[in-house]
């Protein structure tokens, strides 16, 4: 199963909106006779890739055991059901890390395998398997992506100087690592302030990838310049607005962006509505690289599921903070976090944290 989990990680940046799944087939002696992982949406799933691999090696899978990081699908989507492929191949036993949270599957794949006389087990290494697919679980169970807020800051928590200068607080290794996290996401989100101040591209270019995430801008008044770098290929651009401006909308559409109106309170974009719309578009993980105002709005609304913070060994004194919200009147009003990982990346620290009292939406 650990081998299958490692294979599932190879589907990062490839399989979205489908889950990242790995499959390993072993013979009666425990020797690997076939393996594979999920391909692009519409192409073969992990189980089919493993069966093909076994066939290419000249190995007979009848009576073999398949280890898969998520329950085989049981419905006709872009591809036929994987459970049917396993049944037809004559697999004797299947061990799954997780049941599929997709309501179209949700235990039916395992039930069909059992009905065909195949022994099934579920729950082996389920926690790491969930983490690989935490965005898929979020979309299936909550209808919205898993939101990861990324920021690069000095040791005293400043993301920019008072005038907005921010390039570069962290070193090259941290920036490259940040692009690896962008690659995980189905979409990268920023705000109009960052578009104006930094003119970012928001694409993945410092690490290899087989797809570019959707680029998303929160722009209440449709102020995104038509010459903004993030409007350039490759990849698609989505702009969420709160106030209509037909002329600006037409200009942005001509520049290649799709404009979606999600008006909320105070002539601002309805952030919760935006997340639900992104979920409906198949976005599993949303990677946020925004300024202190949009970050603060997401934090205040309780919409951030994970914080990815790079800290540089620098002190900047006065400057812009990671997230502008508050002021708080009592210390117990603070957003409490729990550490998931602390690691050194080059000269900088990478901190991963989640809200201490956040909803564990993947728990039944």
């Amino acid at each position: 199963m650990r081998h299958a989990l490692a294979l599932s990680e190879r589907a990062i940046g490839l399989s979205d909106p489908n889950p990242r799944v790995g499959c390993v087939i072993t013979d009666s002696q425990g020797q690997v006779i076939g393996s594979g992982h999920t391909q692009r949406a519409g192409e073969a799933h992990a189980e089919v890739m493993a069966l093909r691999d076994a066939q290419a090696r000249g190995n007979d899978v009848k009576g073999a055991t398949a280890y898969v990081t998520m329950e085989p699908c049981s419905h006709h989507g872009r591809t036929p059901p994987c459970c049917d492929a396993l049944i037809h191949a004559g697999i004797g036993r299947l061990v799954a890390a997780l049941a599929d949270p997709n309501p179209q599957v949700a235990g039916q794949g395992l039930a069909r395998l059992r009905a065909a006389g195949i022994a099934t087990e579920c729950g082996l290494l389920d926690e790491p398997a969930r983490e690989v697919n935490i965005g898929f679980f979020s979309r299936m169970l909550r209808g919205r992506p898993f939101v990861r807020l990324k920021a690069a800051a000095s040791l005293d928590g400043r993301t920019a100087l008072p005038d907005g200068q921010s390039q570069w607080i962290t070193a090259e290794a941290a920036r490259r690592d940040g692009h690896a996290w962008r690659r995980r996401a189905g979409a990268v989100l920023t705000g109009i302030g960052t578009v104006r101040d930094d003119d970012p591209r928001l694409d993945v270019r410092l690490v290899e990838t087989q797809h570019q995430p959707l680029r998303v801008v929160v722009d209440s008044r449709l102020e995104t310049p038509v010459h903004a770098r993030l409007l350039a290929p490759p990849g698609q651009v989505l702009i969420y607005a709160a106030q209509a401006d037909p002329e600006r909308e037409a200009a942005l559409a001509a520049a290649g962006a799709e404009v979606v109106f999600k008006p909320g309170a105070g002539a601002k974009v309805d952030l919760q509505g935006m997340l639900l719309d992104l979920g409906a578009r198949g976005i599993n993980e949303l990677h946020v690289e925004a300024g202190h105002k949009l970050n603060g709005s997401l934090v205040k609304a309780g919409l951030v599921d994970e914080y990815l913070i790079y800290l540089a060994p620098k002190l900047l004194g006065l400057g812009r903070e990671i997230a502008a919200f508050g002021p708080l009147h009592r210390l117990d009003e603070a957003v409490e976090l729990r550490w998931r990982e602390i690691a050194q990346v080059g000269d900088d620290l990478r901190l991963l944290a989640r809200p201490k009292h956040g909803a564990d939406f993947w728990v039944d």
Side-chain angles (χ1 to χ4, degrees):
M1 187 62 81
R2 294 192 188 280
H3 185 179
L5 282 167
L7 288 169
S8 72
E9 293 183 356
R10 296 185 187 179
I12 291 173
L14 175 66
S15 67
D16 281 21
N18 291 336
R20 303 147 180 171
V21 180
C23 180
V24 172
I25 302 173
T26 65
D27 62 18
S28 59
Q29 305 302 312
Q31 298 300 308
V32 175
I33 59 175
S35 62
H37 61 79
T38 312
Q39 301 299 300
R40 293 177 184 271
E43 298 181 8
H45 291 188
E47 299 90 334
V48 171
M49 292 299 293
L51 291 171
R52 289 178 183 175
D53 183 47
Q55 183 179 36
R57 296 191 202 184
N59 294 326
D60 185 0
V61 301
K62 284 187 171 56
T65 297
Y67 294 87
V68 62
T69 58
M70 187 176 291
E71 170 188 9
C73 63
S74 57
H75 66 295
H76 282 270
R78 298 182 186 180
T79 59
C82 290
C83 61
D84 289 356
L86 294 168
I87 292 168
H88 180 74
I91 290 290
R93 175 172 171 254
L94 181 128
V95 181
L98 293 166
D100 191 332
N102 187 339
Q104 293 181 293
V105 184
Q108 296 178 55
L110 292 172
R112 283 172 65 170
L113 292 168
R114 287 193 294 269
I118 297 173
T120 65
E121 301 173 33
C122 187
L124 180 61
L125 297 180
D126 57 341
E127 185 174 348
R130 281 192 192 96
E131 286 298 324
V132 173
N133 281 301
I134 195 165
F136 183 73
F137 270 76
S138 177
R139 183 166 66 88
M140 289 296 109
L141 300 179
R142 301 190 297 180
R144 72 167 182 84
F146 183 84
V147 177
R148 181 177 294 112
L149 189 156
K150 178 261 182 180
S154 61
L155 192 59
D156 48 354
R158 302 303 179 189
T159 60
L161 296 178
D163 63 0
Q165 292 184 58
S166 62
Q167 297 178 342
W168 299 100
I169 292 176
T170 53
E172 183 180 353
R175 296 198 294 275
R176 187 168 55 250
D177 191 72
H179 276 238
W181 287 89
R182 279 187 189 177
R183 185 172 72 97
R184 282 189 62 107
V188 179
L189 174 77
T190 196
I192 181 59
T194 299
V195 173
R196 284 196 303 251
D197 293 347
D198 298 342
D199 194 18
R201 289 165 59 179
L202 292 186
D203 57 353
V204 178
R205 59 190 182 277
L206 300 184
V207 297
E208 291 186 8
T209 186
Q210 298 192 53
H211 90 117
Q212 287 294 337
L214 175 69
R215 287 165 290 179
V216 182
V217 182
V218 176
D219 180 5
S220 296
R221 294 187 293 271
L222 286 178
E223 297 172 314
T224 299
V226 293
H227 53 76
R229 293 200 301 168
L230 60 77
L231 294 175
Q236 297 175 300
V237 180
L238 199 59
I239 298 176
Y240 285 95
Q243 301 176 38
D245 184 330
E247 184 176 340
R248 290 292 303 156
E249 183 181 357
L252 289 168
E258 178 184 353
V259 176
V260 178
F261 289 96
K262 288 289 178 185
K268 300 292 185 181
V269 170
D270 174 7
L271 297 177
Q272 176 70 26
M274 176 192 70
L275 293 182
L276 291 173
D277 184 67
L278 288 171
R281 293 170 182 266
I283 302 301
N284 294 330
E285 294 185 23
L286 178 65
H287 181 90
V288 179
E289 293 195 25
H292 60 298
K293 292 181 180 179
L294 179 53
N295 285 349
S297 296
L298 290 166
V299 172
K300 188 175 181 179
L303 297 176
V304 179
D305 297 307
E306 184 167 75
Y307 296 83
L308 170 65
I309 309 297
Y310 295 90
L311 285 185
K314 300 175 182 177
L315 298 173
L316 296 185
L318 293 177
R320 297 183 180 179
E321 62 269 49
I322 292 173
F325 65 97
L328 304 181
H329 303 291
R330 301 190 313 273
L331 284 176
D332 60 9
E333 294 177 343
V335 177
E336 292 189 77
L337 308 177
R338 53 188 171 90
W339 298 117
R340 286 195 54 80
E341 179 186 278
I342 301 174
Q344 186 164 348
V345 179
D347 293 333
D348 305 308
L349 288 181
R350 182 183 66 203
L351 312 177
L352 270 179
R354 290 182 185 166
K356 188 174 182 180
H357 305 296
D360 288 337
F361 55 85
W362 56 86
V363 176
D364 293 335

